[in-house]
Amino acid sequence: MTVREALGGPWASHWVVWIVLFFPTTLMVLLREIATPYPEWWWSLVSAVVQHLAVGVVIFVGAALARRHWPILPLWFAFTLWAAAAVTRGLVGGALAHSVAGVDPEYLGRVAMWLLASTVWVPAFVYTFAQFDRRRLLMGSIESTMLELDVQRSAAHSTGAEVRATLSSAVRESLGPALADLQSSLEASRHSLDSGTVAELSMRIAQVHDDAADLLESAQPPQHDSVTRASVLRASEVEPRLPWANAGLVALATLSLMVPDVARVFGTVAVVEVVVATLCASLALGAIPWWWSRRPGQRDASSRPQRATVVAAVIAIGIAMYIMLNSGIDDTTWHGLVILPALTVSLVLATTIYIGAIVLADANTEADETLARLVSDLSRERRENDELVDLERQRLADLMHGPVQGRLAACVMALNFHATGDHDEDQARYLTDSVLEHLRAVSRDLLTITDADSEESSSPPNGGAGT
Amino acid sequence: MAAPERSSRTVLVADDDALVRSVLRMALASRGHTVIEAADAPTTISAGRTHDVDLAILDISMPGGDAASTLASLRDHRDDRPVLVLSGAAKLPPELAAAGVEFARKPIELDDFLELVSALLADGEPPNTATPES
């Protein structure tokens, strides 16, 4: 998956991303609007909702129009769309603050802060969602391919037997009864055969002859083919990679989101406290997965690699919480209490998004290679199985052609000649007796062929007519 | 069935199924032809050498030798007589197709068969070179 496919694909304007972003952006709006003297506290919430709705309109309408020309949006357009959403959010927030609270709308500042947050967060969000979705599809494909590979490998030992079993079943259910019926019809009327009866018998034998040929074509082992997405949990099982790079990106993203508003609302000391808390939390986010990846036996299948990330995130949040509430950098404790929810959400999201972006991209590249290898193995296995089936069918065809189809063809020709009436009584009797004897021999040989399932190299039945 | 032809010709019928040989013999005899029967490859080759055969009708699979070598032996002795391969196989094997023989699939309608025989025995090409199906 290319960067354009990830950023310009369906996830660039997906409703899931829009819904997921509602919670963190609302927290940011609540933090930001603490300084706005709204007449009621819930106006901040109204502002968040209205901003998000306006963003939704811009994103969905813009993307829908653009996708008429580009199924995959160009990167410049995707970034422009997200920037337009950020500008819209700033303008709507400022207009509401101005009209309801009567304050300076601060359009420039609001737009600048949302543009910064959007540039740092939205591409990473979209990229991670796209990679995660791709991973689910890849894992699903890998699992179904492995399943099919197992089926094909086990089928390698049973395809011949399945073909024979299918043939045996068809012989028992259709050919055998049809032949028995023909024999009894012919025996019942052998002394008073008129040309119409003979012609009808001839047609029925010709049908049995064709059915015998079709049997070999239809004797195929069952095929399996289905691809579904892997579960979210299964798709999340990826090895932690580049822990320090992840930690750095988490710090950068969190600070870009928190610092402007904290500075605007609470002042410089609170910013220092947020910076210290974020950097310490990021250190934990880098150190714990790094230690996890270096400990002995970490590649054991039972060791779930995402646990390291979860543990690191929990510890990082604990550290941030402690610093915000107990460090004493900012003496005003309630600042920390107000900032903490936004900081926690920011840390969690940044950890998820940036680790996801880096780890999933790498993991998907490996999964692509694994899938290609499995598909190649599967193709080879299918080809070999098809060859086995063809060999078995050829073997059965060799057995069927002379003893069964050859004799049936002879019966049809004999009865056709019988029906013309260009014969004397001795010839007619000879033809009828010979056809009956042939039909009996066909029934006998069919039983011999289908009962010889366990004998791969059984020789053709005796007395067979050539083809 | 069509009326017997005026000129009697000698036709070699080689097939390991006695019923097929009998039916073909009766049908050809009804047209006034003389039929020589062979149930295996050596007998076929021998009959082709000892009789003045105008047309050879061969099965693909016969005891004692494959159709290609049987045909080659017949052609060694006399390479101008037409050959009709009558088989249950869906199509003529490549080695026989290259030998320029006519092919028909069993079971064949006897009228079609006799028409094909007449055409092969005549000087011209057969009326329909497409493979007759049952």
Side-chain angles (χ1 to χ4, degrees):
Chain A
M1 176 183 269
T2 63
V3 172
R4 186 188 164 186
E5 284 169 343
L7 295 183
W11 290 101
S13 55
H14 205 283
W15 63 271
V16 171
V17 177
W18 183 70
I19 295 283
V20 167
L21 282 174
F22 176 71
F23 183 59
T25 54
T26 298
L27 276 178
M28 292 312 300
V29 170
L30 291 178
L31 178 65
R32 180 162 302 168
E33 302 301 347
I34 284 175
T36 306
Y38 278 121
E40 300 289 343
W41 67 269
W42 43 262
W43 275 106
S44 297
L45 203 57
V46 170
S47 178
V49 172
V50 173
Q51 285 178 43
H52 209 70
L53 289 173
V55 163
V57 170
V58 169
I59 293 287
F60 297 138
V61 172
L65 292 174
R67 287 194 199 282
R68 293 181 180 180
H69 303 286
W70 305 295
I72 302 291
L73 301 177
L75 286 179
W76 67 264
F77 185 87
F79 277 92
T80 304
L81 191 64
W82 299 328
V87 170
T88 303
R89 189 180 278 280
L91 294 179
V92 169
L96 205 65
H98 177 66
S99 60
V100 176
V103 297
D104 179 2
E106 297 178 295
Y107 289 124
L108 202 61
R110 288 173 182 272
V111 166
M113 279 188 287
W114 281 117
L115 274 176
L116 175 66
S118 172
T119 306
V120 173
W121 282 83
V122 175
F125 238 94
V126 169
Y127 186 78
T128 302
F129 268 88
Q131 289 289 4
F132 190 72
D133 190 46
R134 170 92 180 134
R135 178 152 190 84
R136 288 187 68 197
L137 193 62
L138 279 171
M139 299 304 291
S141 300
I142 286 173
E143 282 168 8
S144 62
T145 306
M146 287 174 75
L147 190 69
E148 175 64 14
L149 199 53
D150 285 345
V151 169
Q152 290 291 333
R153 281 177 177 153
S154 61
H157 306 293
S158 60
T159 42
E162 283 182 25
V163 170
R164 285 192 296 275
T166 309
L167 184 71
S168 299
S169 166
V171 165
R172 275 193 303 275
E173 290 169 12
S174 61
L175 273 189
L179 280 168
D181 188 40
L182 276 168
Q183 283 174 49
S184 54
S185 296
L186 194 53
E187 276 169 357
S189 56
R190 62 191 298 184
H191 299 300
S192 57
L193 277 174
D194 56 49
S195 61
T197 309
V198 173
E200 187 211 329
L201 285 170
S202 169
M203 282 176 59
R204 284 167 61 187
I205 295 176
Q207 183 60 50
V208 173
H209 170 272
D210 292 346
D211 289 347
D214 292 343
L215 271 184
L216 290 170
E217 290 300 315
S218 64
Q220 285 272 25
Q223 300 287 322
H224 310 269
D225 223 349
S226 65
V227 176
T228 53
R229 278 177 163 75
S231 68
V232 170
L233 189 65
R234 175 81 181 90
S236 306
E237 289 172 2
V238 284
E239 292 282 340
R241 293 164 212 219
L242 302 173
W244 293 111
N246 290 330
L249 286 168
V250 167
L252 189 69
T254 304
L255 291 176
S256 72
L257 199 66
M258 300 297 300
V259 167
D261 282 322
V262 170
R264 179 172 156 272
V265 177
F266 302 111
T268 312
V269 179
V271 168
V272 172
E273 196 172 59
V274 166
V275 169
V276 170
T278 304
L279 291 179
C280 290
S282 299
L283 273 175
L285 282 173
I288 292 168
W290 176 79
W291 167 79
W292 184 282
S293 67
R294 296 173 78 86
R295 77 190 176 91
Q298 57 88 24
R299 292 195 177 277
D300 183 359
S302 62
S303 161
R304 292 185 180 276
Q306 70 273 27
R307 279 186 191 165
T309 307
V310 173
V311 169
V314 169
I315 291 174
I317 288 165
I319 289 170
M321 197 179 287
Y322 180 83
I323 291 171
M324 292 302 296
L325 298 179
N326 299 302
S327 68
I329 297 172
D330 183 353
D331 289 337
T332 317
T333 308
W334 72 268
H335 290 177
L337 275 173
V338 172
I339 295 169
L340 202 53
L343 183 64
T344 303
V345 169
S346 177
L347 279 171
V348 169
L349 281 180
T351 304
T352 308
I353 294 306
Y354 283 98
I355 286 178
I358 291 174
V359 169
L360 289 174
D362 274 359
N364 283 352
T365 304
E366 287 176 8
D368 265 324
E369 290 165 4
T370 303
L371 182 60
R373 196 178 63 249
L374 286 171
V375 167
S376 168
D377 289 351
L378 181 59
S379 299
R380 195 188 62 247
E381 206 68 42
R382 276 182 174 154
R383 197 169 53 246
E384 287 172 359
N385 282 351
D386 285 348
E387 285 169 4
L388 279 176
V389 170
D390 283 346
L391 276 176
E392 181 57 26
R393 284 168 64 180
Q394 187 55 50
R395 191 183 73 82
L396 290 169
D398 290 344
L399 290 173
M400 292 278 282
H401 274 161
V404 178
Q405 290 173 279
R407 282 202 186 100
L408 290 171
C411 290
V412 172
M413 290 167 68
L415 290 175
N416 280 349
F417 182 73
H418 196 300
T420 64
D422 288 353
H423 51 74
D424 55 35
E425 278 189 21
D426 287 344
Q427 286 176 328
R429 193 164 43 253
Y430 167 77
L431 288 172
T432 310
D433 291 347
S434 296
V435 167
L436 264 173
E437 180 50 42
H438 267 52
L439 291 178
R440 288 189 199 107
V442 168
S443 299
R444 207 168 46 237
D445 285 347
L446 268 177
L447 281 177
T448 308
I449 291 168
T450 54
D451 285 348
D453 284 358
S454 58
E455 296 172 25
E456 286 283 337
S457 56
S458 60
S459 54
N462 294 329
T467 56
Chain B
M1 190 175 287
E5 292 171 5
R6 289 174 197 164
S7 56
S8 174
R9 312 290 285 272
T10 303
V11 179
L12 170 61
V13 174
D15 198 302
D16 62 340
D17 189 325
L19 182 56
V20 172
R21 291 198 310 273
S22 299
V23 170
L24 297 184
R25 174 169 46 75
M26 291 177 201
L28 290 166
S30 71
R31 291 288 183 101
H33 299 308
T34 303
V35 175
I36 298 159
E37 294 182 37
D40 54 42
T43 311
T44 304
I45 295 166
S46 169
R49 287 178 177 162
T50 54
H51 295 86
D52 187 16
V53 173
D54 297 304
L55 168 67
I57 298 172
L58 300 181
D59 187 12
I60 287 181
S61 302
M62 281 195 299
D66 62 87
S69 59
T70 305
L71 177 64
S73 299
L74 288 175
R75 290 258 166 95
D76 280 347
H77 178 66
R78 188 181 147 187
D79 62 2
D80 62 337
R81 67 185 147 210
V83 173
L84 169 62
V85 173
L86 198 56
S87 167
K91 60 184 179 182
L92 201 55
E95 66 272 19
L96 289 177
V101 298
E102 191 61 25
F103 173 68
R105 190 177 183 187
K106 287 190 283 191
I108 183 175
E109 288 289 334
L110 289 175
D111 282 344
D112 294 338
F113 167 73
L114 291 172
E115 198 176 334
L116 193 56
V117 166
S118 296
L120 288 168
L121 287 172
D123 288 334
E125 288 292 308
N128 182 7
T129 55
T131 303
E133 297 286 344
S134 59

PDB file of all heavy atoms in Angstrom, chain A residues 278-289:
ATOM      1  N   THR A 278       4.804  15.352  29.625  1.00  0.00           N
ATOM      2  CA  THR A 278       4.773  14.676  28.316  1.00  0.00           C
ATOM      3  C   THR A 278       6.099  13.993  28.018  1.00  0.00           C
ATOM      4  O   THR A 278       6.138  12.843  27.552  1.00  0.00           O
ATOM      5  CB  THR A 278       4.448  15.704  27.208  1.00  0.00           C
ATOM      6  OG1 THR A 278       3.214  16.347  27.523  1.00  0.00           O
ATOM      7  CG2 THR A 278       4.342  15.033  25.855  1.00  0.00           C
ATOM      8  N   LEU A 279       7.198  14.697  28.283  1.00  0.00           N
ATOM      9  CA  LEU A 279       8.514  14.102  27.982  1.00  0.00           C
ATOM     10  C   LEU A 279       8.785  12.882  28.860  1.00  0.00           C
ATOM     11  O   LEU A 279       9.302  11.868  28.374  1.00  0.00           O
ATOM     12  CB  LEU A 279       9.617  15.153  28.163  1.00  0.00           C
ATOM     13  CG  LEU A 279       9.614  16.292  27.132  1.00  0.00           C
ATOM     14  CD1 LEU A 279      10.738  17.290  27.414  1.00  0.00           C
ATOM     15  CD2 LEU A 279       9.761  15.739  25.718  1.00  0.00           C
ATOM     16  N   CYS A 280       8.415  12.963  30.145  1.00  0.00           N
ATOM     17  CA  CYS A 280       8.634  11.804  31.024  1.00  0.00           C
ATOM     18  C   CYS A 280       7.768  10.618  30.579  1.00  0.00           C
ATOM     19  O   CYS A 280       8.212   9.455  30.570  1.00  0.00           O
ATOM     20  CB  CYS A 280       8.317  12.180  32.476  1.00  0.00           C
ATOM     21  SG  CYS A 280       9.516  13.303  33.183  1.00  0.00           S
ATOM     22  N   ALA A 281       6.520  10.936  30.236  1.00  0.00           N
ATOM     23  CA  ALA A 281       5.630   9.857  29.766  1.00  0.00           C
ATOM     24  C   ALA A 281       6.196   9.240  28.486  1.00  0.00           C
ATOM     25  O   ALA A 281       6.178   8.010  28.300  1.00  0.00           O
ATOM     26  CB  ALA A 281       4.237  10.418  29.516  1.00  0.00           C
ATOM     27  N   SER A 282       6.723  10.073  27.603  1.00  0.00           N
ATOM     28  CA  SER A 282       7.270   9.563  26.339  1.00  0.00           C
ATOM     29  C   SER A 282       8.500   8.699  26.576  1.00  0.00           C
ATOM     30  O   SER A 282       8.736   7.721  25.861  1.00  0.00           O
ATOM     31  CB  SER A 282       7.614  10.730  25.409  1.00  0.00           C
ATOM     32  OG  SER A 282       6.457  11.475  25.115  1.00  0.00           O
ATOM     33  N   LEU A 283       9.300   9.071  27.593  1.00  0.00           N
ATOM     34  CA  LEU A 283      10.466   8.239  27.931  1.00  0.00           C
ATOM     35  C   LEU A 283      10.009   6.825  28.286  1.00  0.00           C
ATOM     36  O   LEU A 283      10.607   5.832  27.846  1.00  0.00           O
ATOM     37  CB  LEU A 283      11.212   8.853  29.117  1.00  0.00           C
ATOM     38  CG  LEU A 283      12.272   9.909  28.772  1.00  0.00           C
ATOM     39  CD1 LEU A 283      12.836  10.517  30.060  1.00  0.00           C
ATOM     40  CD2 LEU A 283      13.402   9.281  27.963  1.00  0.00           C
ATOM     41  N   ALA A 284       8.951   6.760  29.085  1.00  0.00           N
ATOM     42  CA  ALA A 284       8.415   5.438  29.453  1.00  0.00           C
ATOM     43  C   ALA A 284       7.907   4.705  28.218  1.00  0.00           C
ATOM     44  O   ALA A 284       8.125   3.494  28.063  1.00  0.00           O
ATOM     45  CB  ALA A 284       7.289   5.603  30.463  1.00  0.00           C
ATOM     46  N   LEU A 285       7.276   5.431  27.324  1.00  0.00           N
ATOM     47  CA  LEU A 285       6.749   4.812  26.099  1.00  0.00           C
ATOM     48  C   LEU A 285       7.869   4.252  25.219  1.00  0.00           C
ATOM     49  O   LEU A 285       7.665   3.293  24.473  1.00  0.00           O
ATOM     50  CB  LEU A 285       5.939   5.837  25.292  1.00  0.00           C
ATOM     51  CG  LEU A 285       4.531   6.120  25.783  1.00  0.00           C
ATOM     52  CD1 LEU A 285       3.920   7.271  24.998  1.00  0.00           C
ATOM     53  CD2 LEU A 285       3.659   4.878  25.637  1.00  0.00           C
ATOM     54  N   GLY A 286       9.036   4.888  25.283  1.00  0.00           N
ATOM     55  CA  GLY A 286      10.157   4.386  24.488  1.00  0.00           C
ATOM     56  C   GLY A 286      10.892   3.264  25.199  1.00  0.00           C
ATOM     57  O   GLY A 286      11.249   2.249  24.597  1.00  0.00           O
ATOM     58  N   ALA A 287      11.097   3.440  26.501  1.00  0.00           N
ATOM     59  CA  ALA A 287      11.969   2.518  27.237  1.00  0.00           C
ATOM     60  C   ALA A 287      11.341   1.136  27.421  1.00  0.00           C
ATOM     61  O   ALA A 287      12.018   0.115  27.271  1.00  0.00           O
ATOM     62  CB  ALA A 287      12.313   3.133  28.596  1.00  0.00           C
ATOM     63  N   ILE A 288      10.060   1.097  27.734  1.00  0.00           N
ATOM     64  CA  ILE A 288       9.451  -0.202  28.075  1.00  0.00           C
ATOM     65  C   ILE A 288       9.397  -1.135  26.847  1.00  0.00           C
ATOM     66  O   ILE A 288       9.841  -2.285  26.933  1.00  0.00           O
ATOM     67  CB  ILE A 288       8.066   0.007  28.731  1.00  0.00           C
ATOM     68  CG1 ILE A 288       8.275   0.663  30.096  1.00  0.00           C
ATOM     69  CG2 ILE A 288       7.321  -1.304  28.873  1.00  0.00           C
ATOM     70  CD1 ILE A 288       7.011   1.178  30.735  1.00  0.00           C
ATOM     71  N   PRO A 289       8.882  -0.692  25.700  1.00  0.00           N
ATOM     72  CA  PRO A 289       8.920  -1.583  24.524  1.00  0.00           C
ATOM     73  C   PRO A 289      10.347  -1.922  24.090  1.00  0.00           C
ATOM     74  O   PRO A 289      10.616  -3.028  23.609  1.00  0.00           O
ATOM     75  CB  PRO A 289       8.196  -0.778  23.445  1.00  0.00           C
ATOM     76  CG  PRO A 289       7.358   0.198  24.181  1.00  0.00           C
ATOM     77  CD  PRO A 289       8.141   0.529  25.411  1.00  0.00           C
TER      78      PRO A 289
END
